[in-house]
Amino acid sequence: MPTKYDPKEAEAKWYPYWLEGKFFNAERNAEKTPFTIVIPPPNVTGNLHIGHALNNTLQDILIRSKRMQGYDALWLPGMDHAGIATQARVEGRLKEEGISRYDLGREKFVEKVWEWKDKYAEIIRRQWSKMGLSLDYSRERFTLDEGLSKAVREVFVRLYEKGLIYRGKYIINWDPETRTALSDIEVEYKELKGALYHLRYPLKDGTGYIEVATTRPETMLGDTAVAVHPKDERYQKLIGKTVVLPIIGREIPIVADDYVDREFGSGAVKITPAHDPNDFELGRRHNLEQILVMDEAGKMNENAGAYQGMDRFACRKQIVKDLQDQGVCFKIEEHIHQVGHSERSGAVVEPYLSTQWFVKMGPLAEEAINKQKSEERVAFVPDRFEKIYLHWIENIRDWCISRQLWWGHRIPAWYCGSCGEMTVSREDITTCPHCDSTELKQDNDVLDTWFSSALWPFSTLGWPEETEDMKHFYPTDVLVTGYDIIFFWVARMIFTGLEFTGENPFKNVLITGLVRDAEGRKMSKSLGNGVDPMEVIDQYGADAMRFMLATGNTPGNDQRFRWERVESARNFANKIWNASRFALMNLEGFTAADIDLSGNLGTTDKWILTRLNETIADVTRLLDQFEFGEAGRSLNNFIWDDLCDWYIEMAKPHLYGENAEAKKTTQSVLCHVLDQTLRLLHPYMPFITEEIWQHLPQSGASITVAPWPIVDETHHYPESVKQMGLLMEVIRSVRNIRAEMNVPLSKKVELMIKPTNEEAYSLLSQGEEYIERFCNPQKLEISLSLGVPDKVVSAVVTGAEIYLPLAGLIDIDKEIARLEKDAEHLKNEVERVNKKLVNQGFVAKAPAHVVEEERAKGKDYQEKLEKIQVRIQELKN
RNA sequence: GGACGAUUAGCUCAGUUGGUUAGAGCGCUACGUUGACAUCGUAGAGGUCGGCGGUUCGAAUCCGUCAUCGUCCA
């Protein structure tokens, strides 16, 4: 084995091996408890980003650990057709060739998108494999594939038949850039500095004018009323009168409506029912005409008179100028307001009157709310996200699901050119069921991408068929996703899941934060600060990236991407590699059958086995609680500190020594501990653990299916932890003295240790060989009755006093100063503890064991302090 | 305007039901190539846990309030 771990080699070797062995394929075994995760399907628009890497790593850790724990683990992969995003990308590509989608026509264009999809699906699969994800590719799905399309149709038709899907003419959010309707949540509101334009509309009777204010003056071309508050005294006598709309000359009424805010502006508002949601509602109450003044591209239409053909913003400029010239616009104020932008294209969203399809949310939301308030709620992790979800679903509005795109699930509604009836159908139809005419035309629109994503946890398992997979693996166990799509996706999966399967689609939702750049900025294409996970893997290996992401922080919080942290993780991998290399070099000829822990275990053996037990318990518990960071740190500490820094060093004398029995015991312990540790680490670092494990004396096919370690009660020795503690403390003190007194390890010195009692004496005597090895003394004396020389450097630990006679080598004043510093520190501790103990409240109210611990601490500090003070006195004499 | 989150060592972050001498990695300082590893080892410096007030025998941890930054919702 080389001295450095080569990630590329291991990664290239093991992923194909895993696939060939079908280790990732779920069994659908009735004997086993299923554990299911469906991957949040990435968009087929392009490459995976570092956020996917985080999200997928966490899922892989979960699924790998559950698989090893004996569950029938299914991690189902798939991709999303991502309507607007994908269509926009393909259109962009065509544009480079000077072609628009209209040049190609719908059919040809969709063919092009499928080509794109095939290409990127392949890229994404390759990226998944690079990351080492244990996905069951035999069950991979795509939101537009046949089965899922069938599920989409089924859901659409059922909701339609139930009256929960309807078609109608309403104000929706229109994106003039991509020329499609958007749902409410696809609109991002940004605070912008705009203007409030004050206009005077003249009364028809010539008795004056009424003042209105607007932020979108171009919409005045579509005004069909002016509204005032019915109780507004200023306007009482104007209600019912008629004004003449400037420029257009249309006569429009002044109406009274409670909706009007008397405080805002002049208290009178212009009403444009076709371009504003509130005006739309008001217009319906007052039977006002709805006049659209723009087309789908955001250009002024034939109703805009002279402005026809102008872009909406150009028109705004021009119309303001014209209104000013006419004296209609008499004041322009700076005005900061929230302006909706398309989440996809960034274009300013236009409230627009349009015929669209909607999901009626009331009944669906109610069911979801009730469920969430019952025992059968979805567990959000961290739980604060539950509130965010509930608040949203409790205030939800109907969902606009039709999109004026070509890429997506086409709406299964047909219009008859003969009788004019509309038919919604599961199957494509060619004749009208109402009049038998064949003049049928399918609705041009497609469904919101999230409509199909909402069905993902069950449509991927074969629903609406009653498949075996559905019966066995549904509902799923955990959904891992970012907080940015709780509304878009999580909420919608929950209410569709409840409606169509009667259950929550998942038991837990693990919410992750965003991976930001090193400065804490959101990664974005425009900033160019994104980190490509493939580059990270290329430089440091997949395991390092995974470990870094998984231990980066706590669930739900954002984390910053820092290369130094990837480097640390890479170093950790290398540490494991070298520890294993050491072990393997000393396990020559040793087989799995040779492992024997029944022999005469030493304190260090007992200690490392006990620490292993603790680590197994911690990691298992923490993973169940989704505490990936803590579990990873626990493993890091165990491997680096306990295993490498102490156990391996202490194993050396046995491995190199003549005692065959001791050697075999040490080999057994080392081999066992390493094997168990690799298994615990495997979910985080699949490649390196497999690579090493395959070198280890063991008989399994792959660590991916090796049983998860369990706490071994027969090898649990809590007293060994205390015993090792003393040994470690003695060794550390000697090192500390050597460092502080500038006595390098190469310099042999005499070392005298005076244990405080028989027990400590026995322990330290047993550990003599280790003290020799770690402290490199010329002569070591451990005795309860030591004749301490005058010129000596010393230290006091709990259980022993340590002396290094360094006559002539040291500066007495320096040693006194060093001891006084220790004494000072101990004095503070003694004082702190005493203060607690004299406090009657503490002694009376604190739990007995806490008081007892505090007393013991106080006694220990006091004893150490006294001993140090004695040493100081002796040096001063 | 409402809700939530963050504020802990120079930097990035842990700290899970209130009781640890407040931790890690990186960085820094000083030593060190002893037969796994310099992608390393040993030792060390560095924090009044954002401010104020409260609850409690005891607060980084619970409550209130303020400040700064950030996110979501309206």
Side-chain angles (χ1 to χ4, degrees):
Chain A
M1 282 170 88
T3 60
K4 281 174 190 163
Y5 168 59
D6 177 9
K8 287 201 174 74
E9 198 195 314
E11 287 166 17
K13 190 180 348 171
W14 297 113
Y15 204 78
Y17 176 78
W18 292 331
L19 293 185
E20 241 165 71
K22 298 191 190 307
F23 301 125
F24 304 157
N25 290 19
E27 298 171 37
R28 202 201 298 134
N29 179 343
E31 308 280 297
K32 286 184 166 186
T33 309
F35 186 90
T36 314
I37 301 178
V38 288
I39 202 169
N43 294 349
V44 282
T45 43
N47 299 315
L48 301 183
H49 54 67
I50 199 81
H52 291 112
L54 166 65
N55 179 271
N56 292 334
T57 296
L58 299 186
Q59 291 171 71
D60 199 36
I61 290 171
L62 286 172
I63 208 81
R64 281 181 186 269
S65 59
K66 289 295 171 185
R67 186 180 297 120
M68 292 170 79
Q69 284 168 19
Y71 289 82
D72 193 355
L74 167 61
W75 189 15
L76 190 149
M79 296 170 211
D80 194 306
H81 68 282
I84 300 184
T86 310
Q87 175 161 329
R89 290 288 289 275
V90 176
E91 279 192 275
R93 177 61 53 83
L94 289 173
K95 203 174 166 188
E96 288 168 18
E97 300 166 33
I99 320 172
S100 84
R101 69 171 148 128
Y102 303 101
D103 297 336
L104 286 178
R106 186 163 190 155
E107 208 172 312
K108 278 264 163 56
F109 177 77
V110 170
E111 266 174 41
K112 284 266 178 212
V113 189
W114 274 105
E115 283 170 25
W116 172 283
K117 179 260 164 187
D118 289 339
K119 185 181 151 199
Y120 275 93
E122 203 42 53
I123 293 175
I124 288 167
R125 275 183 218 112
R126 205 180 67 229
Q127 294 184 315
W128 282 341
S129 72
K130 291 284 270 180
M131 293 192 278
L133 308 183
S134 61
L135 295 158
D136 182 351
Y137 292 97
S138 71
R139 289 177 167 87
E140 183 185 331
R141 303 308 295 264
F142 180 55
T143 49
L144 265 181
D145 70 24
E146 202 183 328
L148 269 64
S149 298
K150 198 177 163 195
V152 165
R153 282 250 177 130
E154 184 66 28
V155 165
F156 187 96
V157 175
R158 279 205 217 168
L159 288 176
Y160 178 77
E161 286 170 349
K162 231 176 153 176
L164 293 177
I165 278 183
Y166 62 92
R167 184 172 185 254
K169 204 172 176 186
Y170 296 91
I171 294 271
I172 44 83
N173 303 291
W174 184 264
D175 179 350
E177 179 89 26
T178 54
R179 300 191 199 182
T180 178
L182 302 173
S183 66
D184 293 337
I185 51 176
E186 284 166 298
V187 179
E188 287 180 336
Y189 289 88
K190 291 184 200 161
E191 199 162 82
L192 287 188
K193 204 190 283 179
L196 193 59
Y197 303 89
H198 295 265
L199 313 176
R200 283 184 184 130
Y201 287 0
L203 294 167
K204 189 189 173 193
D205 60 15
T207 56
Y209 52 80
I210 187 164
E211 288 179 19
V212 295
T214 180
T215 55
R216 293 155 67 216
E218 68 282 7
T219 63
M220 64 86 66
L221 300 168
D223 283 359
T224 54
V226 171
V228 297
H229 195 277
K231 289 187 183 140
D232 194 331
E233 287 169 12
R234 295 171 292 180
Y235 299 113
Q236 283 303 315
K237 55 184 188 299
L238 293 183
I239 294 168
K241 287 200 171 186
T242 300
V243 300
V244 180
L245 194 61
I247 297 179
I248 295 288
R250 181 163 54 239
E251 295 184 5
I252 59 177
I254 295 175
V255 300
D257 197 287
D258 288 338
Y259 151 73
V260 179
D261 177 5
R262 277 175 281 186
E263 307 300 318
F264 186 79
S266 63
V269 289
K270 59 188 275 307
I271 300 297
T272 324
H275 286 279
D276 182 280
N278 294 315
D279 293 6
F280 173 78
E281 292 298 329
L282 188 145
R284 293 232 289 201
R285 289 194 288 273
H286 296 270
N287 275 320
L288 299 175
E289 207 184 336
Q290 302 163 332
I291 301 173
L292 267 179
V293 296
M294 284 174 211
D295 66 13
E296 295 174 349
K299 287 197 165 70
M300 306 313 289
N301 69 9
E302 67 282 2
N303 295 323
Y307 303 96
Q308 184 175 356
M310 285 179 87
D311 176 78
R312 53 190 169 148
F313 298 115
C315 173
R316 179 176 298 174
K317 268 190 184 163
Q318 186 59 45
I319 209 163
V320 167
K321 187 167 174 290
D322 295 347
L323 289 169
Q324 280 178 307
D325 290 348
Q326 293 177 27
V328 172
C329 179
F330 64 97
K331 190 165 84 179
I332 302 174
E333 282 178 295
E334 199 171 86
H335 183 68
I336 292 169
H337 59 150
Q338 300 285 328
V339 180
H341 292 73
S342 166
E343 189 240 349
R344 277 291 150 206
S345 71
V348 171
V349 164
E350 202 61 41
Y352 196 74
L353 184 67
S354 169
T355 301
Q356 302 289 343
W357 290 86
F358 298 86
V359 174
K360 187 177 171 188
M361 286 308 304
L364 295 168
E366 199 186 330
E367 200 181 345
I369 293 162
N370 290 339
K371 197 77 167 182
Q372 194 59 25
K373 290 185 173 171
S374 76
E375 290 298 303
E376 297 161 71
R377 69 175 66 86
V378 173
F380 283 77
V381 182
D383 59 8
R384 65 186 139 94
F385 289 105
E386 181 186 19
K387 249 197 287 182
I388 295 174
Y389 160 70
L390 269 176
H391 179 258
W392 184 73
I393 196 116
E394 280 168 351
N395 294 283
I396 199 164
R397 281 175 297 181
D398 285 355
W399 174 16
C400 176
I401 50 169
S402 43
R403 296 290 179 275
Q404 288 62 53
L405 305 171
W406 289 352
W407 176 241
H409 298 275
R410 201 154 165 184
I411 287 173
W414 284 262
Y415 307 99
C416 179
S418 176
C419 70
E421 290 289 333
M422 179 183 79
T423 307
V424 167
S425 166
R426 284 176 179 80
E427 306 297 332
D428 286 4
I429 52 168
T430 49
T431 55
C432 175
H434 298 91
C435 69
D436 290 333
S437 158
T438 54
E439 280 183 61
L440 282 178
K441 204 171 164 298
Q442 187 174 1
D443 196 301
N444 275 321
D445 294 351
V446 300
L447 288 163
D448 182 359
T449 302
W450 297 104
F451 191 90
S452 53
S453 320
L455 321 179
W456 188 250
F458 46 97
S459 63
T460 50
L461 291 171
W463 189 93
E465 306 300 325
E466 282 189 30
T467 61
E468 293 303 312
D469 271 4
M470 188 69 193
K471 283 186 215 160
H472 187 59
F473 292 112
Y474 190 83
T476 70
D477 290 87
V478 193
L479 180 87
V480 184
T481 193
Y483 58 68
D484 50 335
I485 53 173
I486 291 176
F487 304 150
F488 284 102
W489 195 43
V490 178
R492 285 166 176 168
M493 281 191 284
I494 294 174
F495 68 70
T496 52
L498 287 172
E499 173 70 17
F500 292 98
T501 70
E503 305 180 78
N504 283 319
F506 27 74
K507 301 180 187 107
N508 301 283
V509 179
L510 178 64
I511 302 291
T512 64
L514 267 39
V515 182
R516 296 174 174 274
D517 75 0
E519 276 78 53
R521 296 172 304 180
K522 205 166 162 173
M523 289 185 184
S524 72
K525 282 212 182 74
S526 52
L527 278 173
N529 60 346
V531 173
D532 178 1
M534 295 305 115
E535 199 189 319
V536 181
I537 291 171
D538 195 49
Q539 287 190 47
Y540 292 96
D543 291 332
M545 180 184 76
R546 291 168 58 114
F547 193 78
M548 173 268 177
L549 289 170
T551 57
N553 70 350
T554 37
N557 289 353
D558 294 351
Q559 68 172 291
R560 298 186 190 197
F561 184 93
R562 306 192 128 244
W563 287 100
E564 306 95 277
R565 291 192 38 243
V566 189
E567 204 178 312
S568 298
R570 189 272 316 262
N571 294 351
F572 177 49
N574 201 53
K575 189 74 183 175
I576 299 153
W577 179 257
N578 276 293
S580 306
R581 206 163 69 89
F582 167 81
L584 290 166
M585 281 161 58
N586 290 286
L587 289 170
E588 206 115 335
F590 195 84
T591 68
D594 294 328
I595 297 180
D596 180 8
L597 300 178
S598 66
N600 193 12
L601 296 174
T603 304
T604 53
D605 300 317
K606 289 178 176 175
W607 169 75
I608 197 71
L609 289 169
T610 307
R611 283 290 301 122
L612 174 66
N613 276 341
E614 289 171 358
T615 307
I616 291 168
D618 284 348
V619 171
T620 308
R621 175 179 53 84
L622 289 165
L623 284 182
D624 276 341
Q625 297 169 347
F626 307 113
E627 295 278 0
F628 303 98
E630 287 296 301
R633 275 183 283 280
S634 171
L635 276 165
N636 189 315
N637 292 341
F638 176 70
I639 291 170
W640 208 310
D641 302 340
D642 297 334
L643 186 60
C644 294
D645 289 350
W646 292 100
Y647 187 73
I648 285 183
E649 288 308 318
M650 291 180 151
K652 282 176 182 173
H654 302 248
L655 294 171
Y656 299 151
E658 298 299 316
N659 186 332
E661 199 196 328
K663 181 173 175 179
K664 197 182 167 198
T665 299
T666 304
Q667 284 175 317
S668 293
V669 173
L670 185 58
C671 188
H672 173 72
V673 171
L674 185 57
D675 166 80
Q676 297 285 294
T677 306
L678 288 170
R679 295 186 199 209
L680 289 177
L681 185 64
H682 176 255
Y684 286 83
M685 300 186 141
F687 293 111
I688 192 174
T689 50
E690 181 77 285
E691 174 70 29
I692 297 168
W693 201 71
Q694 293 286 346
H695 283 90
L696 233 50
Q698 50 76 26
S699 53
S702 166
I703 195 171
T704 56
V705 289
W708 187 252
I710 49 170
V711 172
D712 180 358
E713 296 294 349
T714 63
H715 289 295
H716 197 68
Y717 312 94
E719 74 285 355
S720 69
V721 175
K722 207 179 138 201
Q723 295 165 354
M724 266 296 286
L726 173 61
L727 202 53
M728 287 157 85
E729 217 184 331
V730 166
I731 291 166
R732 277 199 207 100
S733 313
V734 175
R735 283 170 171 171
N736 175 288
I737 290 171
R738 297 190 84 123
E740 290 204 17
M741 303 311 285
N742 290 319
V743 185
L745 197 62
S746 54
K747 191 164 199 87
K748 294 242 177 186
V749 293
E750 246 180 82
L751 175 57
M752 305 165 85
I753 298 172
K754 184 179 174 188
T756 12
N757 53 43
E758 287 286 350
E759 193 195 350
Y761 173 73
S762 149
L763 278 171
L764 291 169
S765 302
Q766 282 171 39
E768 209 172 328
E769 58 176 329
Y770 304 121
I771 299 173
E772 293 267 7
R773 179 172 180 84
F774 283 82
C775 301
N776 197 28
Q778 185 175 41
K779 188 180 140 203
L780 174 61
E781 192 180 350
I782 302 174
S783 169
L784 284 163
S785 53
L786 276 175
V788 184
D790 289 345
K791 298 287 174 61
V792 74
V793 178
S794 64
V796 180
V797 301
T798 306
E801 284 172 84
I802 295 154
Y803 305 103
L804 279 81
L806 291 166
L809 286 173
I810 55 141
D811 181 340
I812 299 290
D813 291 339
K814 200 174 159 193
E815 172 63 2
I816 290 173
R818 196 180 67 85
L819 290 175
E820 275 177 343
K821 202 180 115 197
D822 285 354
E824 186 60 31
H825 175 70
L826 282 167
K827 239 185 260 174
N828 289 338
E829 290 305 317
V830 167
E831 215 170 286
R832 194 181 53 77
V833 171
N834 284 344
K835 226 168 108 184
K836 268 191 182 178
L837 291 171
V838 292
N839 181 341
Q840 278 311 303
F842 174 72
V843 179
K845 293 189 181 175
H849 76 273
V850 173
V851 178
E852 206 34 62
E853 278 165 26
E854 215 59 35
R855 285 216 173 97
K857 266 191 257 175
K859 185 164 169 267
D860 184 41
Y861 293 143
Q862 184 62 42
E863 283 171 8
K864 281 190 202 164
L865 177 60
E866 281 164 14
K867 284 172 184 160
I868 286 181
Q869 280 166 338
V870 168
R871 293 304 315 153
I872 293 171
Q873 271 317 308
E874 282 176 8
L875 285 172
K876 281 185 175 169
N877 292 336

